[in-house]
Amino acid sequence: MLKGKGVSTGVGFGNIVVLKKVERKIEKKTIENEQVEQELERLHEALNQVIDETETQMKNMSGTEADIMQAYVMIMQDPSLIPETENAIKNSHYNAEYAVEVGFNSVIQIFENMDDEYMASRARDILDIKNRVLGKLFKEENIDLSKLNPNTIIVATELTTSETAKLDFKHVSGIITELGGENSHTSIMARTHTIPAITKVEEATKIFKDGDSVAINGTSGEIYVNPTEEEKQKLLDLEKQLEEEKSELDKYRNQESVTKDGTKVKLYANIGIPADAEIAVNNTAEGVGLLRSEFLYMDSDTMPSEESQFEAYKKVAEIMKDKEAIIRTLDIGGDKELKYLTLEKEANPFLGYRAIRLCLDNPTIFKTQLRAILRASAFGKLAIMFPMISSIEELRAAKEVLEECKQELDNENILYDKNIQVGIMIEIPSAALIADKLAKECDFFSIGTNDLIQYTVAVERGNEKISKLYTKYHPAVIKLIKKAIDGAHSANIICGMCGEAAGDPTFIPLLVGLGLDEFSMNSNNILRARKTINNLDKETCVKLSEEILQMASAEEVEKRLGQFGTFLFGPFIKK
């Protein structure tokens, strides 16, 4: 048996088809002045061919799959995607192939360097686009993924968004890849089509051969080569259980999120680009708890204008209609750098010049974004959230800039929501400790557990050597979450959470007991979270939280929450 990371639940039986990685030799050539226009034309023709192919594919798509591919097309059509490539042809006189390689790679690197799994996953989409454009320039022939034999299990180094969209899903029993993540568009589409998928299988393309008979468990990440009858039966039993569970989860679509004893909470979605709002709506999210506005800044060669930001935020507002969408203001610095904004290298950027600190120091950048959000608020229910607030002074300073923007729009007779809600991220221990003071001066809190854990236990979350110390189960982290919630409630404002912990079914009972009002998560986790909440008793959860708050170790906390979840729901609950 082999094991990887399951990213799409389900069971699959079938025969392997290995997708070999295309090996290209990209030569650096210097072109003459008179060849520049010709190479630019080749570049644009190749990109347009890829766009046309994708739009043709989309004609037969609907729902989440169509939303994902629309987001993919938006990346290709973004005018900021290819200037680096064009400049490499115009200024450096590179041939189109080499210009694509260096130009796209510079954009990819920006996204890969981000310590945010969702945004880093977009780098894979840009890499996919780069390879497809190169494929057109090299006039390559590809395997027809729309014509596969029944019960095919795809094995690849990494299955790209465009390759996944081409698949004849009725003939695909599973996907195995060496690279990829839970938030990649490929994983999302696999889940949409209920195709079991496993990633992080080292050297999968070397281990497996075309025609190998395998069975896979997309939940546990287990792969059985030439499975025995006993192994097959075990997986068939699991398949039946998963089908029953999916049918059960569908009952929670468009339902309220309310405990058995009547405590209502809100289930929101975290999104990264406007098109993701459609996915949130399709998964019956009750709002957007976190829109990462960095997408507008990261894929641009220049600072995005007020107008371009306004259009993006307006689109989200219109998609969500009467549902709230919380926009986090620019969270750049540390792991997220902008090539057009010169920032000095810092010894420890995660404790340095970033997020609200950078914005307050650059009022022109900050006001451009705030004006855009305010203008878009006239078209829906938007809210503003300031990241990395560590003191009351920072909150007051940010609100002062916001008031200046409101005054400017009033003077210009531009409409906006006069009562727009303004909140902050609680992701620094100092903010949690003075939550009662901060709550008096804002409309809501959203706890960012990813950073709160990092800053509380002094563990950089990307550091593999000490990754075991990075845990949401640490008693200090839980006490700070409790402190933030109580601080919010002391001022009668809502406290939400947009970190990954909010979507973990084993952690949700504790959060309900601590009094969390709003849970924001990956859209695909909404129904499971709603089922979990709707089958909880608030009073029981409060007793659980009181018990947890007395514990001294993360190990104790994790074990107790595991026991609680298994007792109430059985062993099917998974992260």
Side-chain angles (χ1 to χ4, degrees), residues 392-463:
I392 198 81
E393 290 87 355
E394 285 173 327
L395 172 58
R396 288 171 180 169
K399 288 177 66 178
E400 187 176 331
V401 178
L402 179 62
E403 287 304 313
E404 289 176 15
C405 293
K406 288 181 178 180
Q407 188 61 56
E408 288 176 7
L409 294 179
D410 286 338
N411 293 340
E412 296 167 31
N413 294 317
I414 295 176
L415 294 177
Y416 64 91
D417 179 5
K418 303 278 187 180
N419 298 310
I420 190 168
Q421 298 280 287
V422 179
I424 63 171
M425 294 272 290
I426 302 290
E427 52 192 336
I428 296 177
S430 63
L433 291 170
I434 60 166
D436 56 335
K437 304 295 189 295
L438 291 166
K440 294 174 182 177
E441 302 195 26
C442 55
D443 299 311
F444 65 89
F445 286 165
S446 186
I447 302 171
T449 51
N450 299 353
D451 271 336
L452 183 63
I453 297 167
Q454 175 174 246
Y455 293 132
T456 302
V457 299
V459 173
E460 183 191 334
R461 51 192 169 121
N463 190 327

Side-chain angles (χ1 to χ4, degrees), residues 92-229:
S92 301
H93 283 205
Y94 293 151
N95 56 311
E97 290 85 352
Y98 190 75
V100 166
E101 182 70 11
V102 298
F104 274 70
N105 283 353
S106 67
V107 179
I108 290 166
Q109 188 174 12
I110 292 171
F111 281 83
E112 284 183 336
N113 288 339
M114 297 176 69
D115 186 23
D116 182 312
E117 186 180 352
Y118 182 90
M119 297 302 283
S121 294
R122 303 293 70 78
R124 314 314 294 170
D125 288 334
I126 299 171
L127 176 62
D128 180 25
I129 295 166
K130 182 194 84 169
N131 286 326
R132 292 180 69 191
V133 171
L134 285 172
K136 296 300 179 187
L137 291 170
F138 280 101
K139 302 187 184 302
E140 294 169 353
E141 294 291 331
N142 296 315
I143 297 174
D144 189 348
L145 296 175
S146 65
K147 296 178 181 178
L148 297 169
N149 292 326
N151 301 317
T152 292
I153 292 182
I154 298 289
V155 172
T157 300
E158 181 175 27
L159 200 60
T160 66
T161 302
S162 62
E163 288 171 334
T164 309
K166 291 176 186 174
L167 291 175
D168 180 359
F169 282 103
K170 67 179 180 292
H171 286 161
V172 177
S173 297
I175 297 170
I176 301 170
T177 62
E178 296 171 353
L179 305 173
E182 189 175 359
N183 289 320
S184 72
H185 281 159
T186 298
S187 297
I188 295 171
M189 283 199 278
R191 291 192 289 269
T192 300
H193 287 275
T194 63
I195 304 293
I198 301 171
T199 187
K200 308 296 184 187
V201 182
E202 292 185 14
E203 298 190 324
T205 54
K206 295 179 181 177
I207 293 171
F208 297 104
K209 301 290 184 291
D210 287 335
D212 282 351
S213 175
V214 300
I216 71 172
N217 181 343
T219 305
S220 66
E222 295 170 339
I223 304 167
Y224 301 87
V225 182
N226 297 318
T228 64
E229 289 303 315

Side-chain angles (χ1 to χ4, degrees), residues 37 83 100 134 276 307 465 508:
E37 287 303 320
V100 166
L134 285 172
D276 290 342
E307 201 61 32
K465 290 183 180 179
I508 287 173

